[in-house]
Amino acid sequence: MTGTIAKEIDAFEDAGNPLDWVEEIFSVQDWAFDRLSEDELTIHITGKMGQYRLHFLWQEDYSAMQFSCEIDAVIPAGAMAEAARAMAAINADIWLGHFDIRRDMNVPRFRHTSLFRGMGGSGAEHVEDLVDIALNECERYAPVFALLSSGKPESSVMSLALMDNAGQA
């Protein structure tokens, strides 16, 4: 998705509401989404490793957009300590955003908040990059969260799941 969609969308001089850019990006892709309010948008996407729920929340007072990408996994209460250790290891290597667990549902998600005040050029490219980064990180670590959702995995299995891949099988 990187760069291709944003070029089809006019450059905006004022950030305004970046959810309008998100809406345009998904419309160009012909993806169904729910604009829950002027400040909130949700979409479900199927990736290589499963289903993801992307949620965008605009906070005009701060000119900031919070973005999260939930992984289709539920972490059982007995695996929460192991999940915390895994996320600490994962987050130490992530440059932008972080993983946490949504407390009300025990669902892992990638989260990032971006400031948009004073943004020149196309904010659509910025939003497109955020979505690409989130989906790539979720695809990269979905196996870890799948293991965690299965119960309490052995630490040796978790160590393997946390390793970076050097190629493809």
Side-chain angles (χ1 to χ4, degrees):
M1 186 162 79
T2 303
T4 57
I5 297 166
K7 290 181 174 123
E8 296 180 29
I9 299 171
D10 293 334
F12 294 76
E13 290 183 19
D14 179 21
N17 186 337
L19 295 187
D20 297 335
W21 298 328
V22 173
E23 196 171 274
E24 287 191 49
I25 289 168
F26 293 149
S27 293
V28 168
Q29 284 285 4
D30 218 10
W31 290 344
F33 56 87
D34 293 317
R35 184 78 182 251
L36 306 171
S37 70
E38 182 156 331
D39 299 328
E40 194 170 5
L41 185 144
T42 300
I43 184 169
H44 294 269
I45 294 178
T46 301
K48 296 174 193 167
M49 301 301 293
Q51 293 283 323
Y52 303 105
R53 178 183 174 267
L54 283 66
H55 185 253
F56 301 84
L57 186 60
W58 173 242
Q59 175 54 262
E60 188 172 0
D61 293 345
Y62 298 116
S63 293
M65 182 182 71
Q66 184 181 79
F67 165 66
S68 64
C69 183
E70 292 180 0
I71 295 174
D72 189 21
V74 176
I75 309 299
M80 291 302 272
E82 187 65 31
R85 284 190 289 275
M87 283 188 302
I90 291 169
N91 288 337
D93 290 335
I94 292 179
W95 211 76
L96 180 71
H98 68 279
F99 280 94
D100 65 14
I101 293 180
R102 189 172 160 183
R103 280 181 267 198
D104 59 339
M105 297 174 28
N106 286 4
V107 173
R109 64 184 173 181
F110 178 85
R111 241 175 34 149
H112 178 67
T113 300
S114 286
L115 299 173
F116 283 81
R117 187 172 52 158
M119 179 177 284
S122 177
E125 288 177 344
H126 180 74
V127 170
E128 190 175 1
D129 288 344
L130 291 175
V131 171
D132 280 342
I133 289 166
L135 289 174
N136 286 331
E137 295 295 352
C138 286
E139 293 279 280
R140 180 178 173 193
Y141 293 109
V144 172
F145 294 110
L147 276 172
L148 289 164
S149 70
S150 70
K152 197 167 183 176
E154 294 182 29
S155 60
S156 60
V157 175
M158 282 302 296
S159 295
L160 287 172
L162 287 166
M163 289 179 143
D164 279 330
N165 294 337
Q168 291 182 324

